[in-house]
Amino acid sequence: MALRKLVAGNWKMHGLSSDLGEVRAIAEGSRRYPTVDVALCLPAILIERAARAVPGFAIGAQDVHEAEQGAYTGCTSARQLLDAGASLTIVGHSERREGQYESNSQIKAKAEAALSCGLGVILCVGESLAVRETGRAVSTVEAQLDASLPDGFAEGLSVAYEPIWAIGTGKVPGVDDIAEMHAALRARLEAAYGDAGQSVRILYGGSVKASNAAEIFSVAHVDGALVGGASLKASDFLPIVAAAAAS
Ligand code: PEP
């Protein structure tokens, strides 16, 4: 089943109010590709201003806390993100799994908190280079997905396969490796959610750019992309959206 593609940018800890013009350029440029869903996951501090600047365009967060509210200094709840104008959030990015020691069970709780509040979720999984080199990439990522998937929820959920060694490095797995991983993840989603698992989008992420996007989007079960560095400028990001529209 061909799913409508989602191309989501992850600005990470980049962007100031002076960059809102770039958000506007991306939102306006995306209108040329109505068959593709486009979103920008911004630093929390920019979400409200961006959402006001580009009404109707999907602005997302990069993380969410699993609790509804409480004594969690520096954290942001799903309701707070919604209140600021976000419509989705990333959870389980490898930079949080590694840098903030987030566990699969915590990521699962974050996904459940976000989805039950009405936020879309992009749940990231992916293997390290060491795991890839031992030939255990598929089984490792399958286990990571099984342990991070929200219970009972499929609507609003997307999964992003992001090999850690491909993030920000310019390295990209071969199309056969992407195809093998995405087919395996599709099977795990169907095992978890039944037929509803067929409509969960599986994005690829890791050094996607204009020059490789068409080839990546041609792979079976690649339902979009999560894009880091190439999402910061409309001139880099919109050709990726165009490739998704043409695929
Ligand atoms: C990311 O961090 O989610 C990512 C895919 O980054 P990049 O596109 O820069 O590799």
Side-chain angles (χ1 to χ4, degrees):
M1 171 169 57
L3 300 176
R4 194 179 155 86
K5 288 201 167 46
L6 167 63
V7 179
N10 173 12
W11 275 24
K12 310 192 183 190
M13 202 170 70
H14 298 289
L16 300 170
S17 47
S18 53
D19 296 304
L20 286 171
E22 213 61 50
V23 174
R24 268 189 218 98
I26 288 170
E28 278 165 23
S30 296
R31 287 206 214 115
R32 296 201 297 271
Y33 309 102
T35 56
V36 180
D37 291 331
V38 183
L40 282 180
C41 297
L42 298 178
I45 194 85
L46 285 181
I47 288 173
E48 182 158 10
R49 276 171 291 172
R52 284 186 199 282
V54 290
F57 180 79
I59 297 294
Q62 299 168 11
D63 182 44
V64 62
H65 197 276
E66 58 271 32
E68 272 181 37
Q69 60 182 348
Y72 303 102
T73 302
C75 300
T76 312
S77 73
R79 281 184 61 205
Q80 289 172 324
L81 292 175
L82 272 177
D83 188 48
S87 57
L88 73 156
T89 185
I90 296 170
V91 300
H93 193 281
S94 59
E95 286 156 15
R96 295 201 62 85
R97 287 180 184 267
E98 296 200 320
Q100 311 298 321
Y101 309 107
E102 291 190 1
S103 64
N104 288 325
S105 59
Q106 189 180 8
I107 290 158
K108 173 183 171 129
K110 287 178 180 222
E112 289 174 349
L115 288 164
S116 64
C117 228
L119 279 180
V121 163
I122 299 174
L123 165 61
C124 300
V125 290
E127 83 284 359
S128 65
L129 186 57
V131 167
R132 169 66 54 184
E133 284 174 348
T134 58
R136 291 182 290 109
V138 172
S139 59
T140 300
V141 176
E142 283 176 334
Q144 203 181 33
L145 182 74
D146 287 349
S148 317
L149 275 183
D151 280 337
F153 289 109
E155 185 148 8
L157 175 68
S158 303
V159 167
Y161 166 54
E162 297 209 304
I164 298 168
W165 50 273
I167 294 177
T169 60
K171 295 182 188 153
V172 178
V175 286
D176 291 348
D177 289 332
I178 297 177
E180 180 188 34
M181 186 66 80
H182 280 235
L185 296 180
R186 173 66 65 215
R188 297 315 305 155
L189 288 166
E190 287 175 14
Y193 300 126
D195 286 350
Q198 291 170 11
S199 55
V200 176
R201 290 185 282 208
I202 308 175
L203 316 183
Y204 169 78
S207 296
V208 177
K209 40 187 191 277
S211 57
N212 60 21
E215 186 179 29
I216 291 169
F217 290 139
S218 73
V219 177
H221 299 297
V222 172
D223 309 310
L226 183 55
V227 183
S231 70
L232 295 172
K233 297 274 172 220
S235 55
D236 293 328
F237 191 56
L238 290 173
I240 298 172
V241 179
S247 66

